[in-house]
Amino acid sequence: MGAHGMPWVIGLAAAAGLTGCAQTSGAGAAGAPSHPASITATPAASSSPSAPASTVSPSTAGTPVCADGQLKIRMIYGGPAAGTVGGVLGFTNTGSAPCELAGWPILVAVSTAGRTTAERSLGVFSGPTLTAPPTVTIKPGAQAVAVLAGHDEPAPGSTKCPPAYRRLRVIPPGSAHITVVSAWIPYFDAYLPACTPIQISPVIPASTLAYLRLHHL
């Protein structure tokens, strides 16, 4: 794994001790600090009772969906853990008013061999247990997140992985605006592996990922 993988593993281990959750992943790069206390969520349908109560509260009535160009999207954390390689995509509200996101972003991973669309999942690696996507209100300057995850070992029956993904095309929920971000995973010291299909979580409050708080992201 190497020295660069250790911050990711340590963050996950500490998060597991704090939250008691078994799964989540993310990508770690320097970025503007988020303000988890300014993000609130209400369930789009229903939310798991195991989600931290402090992150679920009524969102502002009439809050609009985050508009095209209102969000700054980038990888804010990531690395390997127990055969899984993942990243945390941050959605920062650069506008002057709160906005909402609910549901899954569309994520298309691009490599020299082609492209693949990530599969939607309610699982959040090392994060909260969900039964439905929450509605997340993002205040100006704050951010919400979505977690992607894949594997760094060949699928059964294969001896090697296809070329790694180099770019990620991200479309926020309720939007048609595409943002292209690098698929480089800092604490993995490599691009996102294309060994197996990628999964993407719904947008969730950044405050629900304990390891982001530990690293002040």
Side-chain angles (χ1 to χ4, degrees):
M1 178 180 301
H4 290 283
M6 291 307 295
W8 172 250
V9 175
I10 292 171
L12 287 182
L18 289 174
T19 65
C21 297
Q23 292 187 329
T24 300
S25 154
S34 63
H35 305 279
S38 68
I39 302 175
T40 58
T42 54
S46 61
S47 64
S48 168
S50 64
S54 62
T55 68
V56 180
S57 60
S59 59
T60 305
T63 302
V65 174
C66 296
D68 291 349
Q70 185 177 1
L71 295 171
K72 181 177 182 179
I73 304 173
R74 59 177 170 175
M75 197 82 78
I76 63 170
Y77 197 76
T84 298
V85 176
V88 179
L89 292 169
F91 298 81
T92 302
N93 181 0
T94 61
S96 58
C99 64
E100 288 185 346
L101 291 176
W104 289 266
I106 296 174
L107 177 67
V108 178
V110 181
S111 73
T112 57
R115 64 189 66 178
T116 186
T117 301
E119 301 171 351
R120 293 180 174 184
S121 174
L122 283 172
V124 183
F125 183 55
S126 293
T129 301
L130 303 176
T131 58
T135 296
V136 184
T137 300
I138 314 173
K139 293 184 178 181
Q143 69 182 4
V145 297
V147 180
L148 62 93
H151 294 277
D152 60 357
E153 298 178 356
S158 300
T159 58
K160 64 179 182 178
C161 298
Y165 299 114
R166 294 300 186 96
R167 299 185 304 280
L168 302 174
R169 298 177 180 175
V170 185
I171 302 176
S175 173
H177 183 76
I178 299 174
T179 297
V180 179
V181 302
S182 173
W184 183 261
I185 308 296
Y187 292 137
F188 186 54
D189 279 343
Y191 288 100
L192 179 66
C195 304
T196 60
I198 300 169
Q199 293 189 329
I200 185 72
S201 79
V203 174
I204 59 175
S207 59
T208 62
L209 299 182
Y211 53 83
L212 294 184
R213 298 196 302 271
L214 291 173
H215 289 268
H216 307 291
L217 296 174

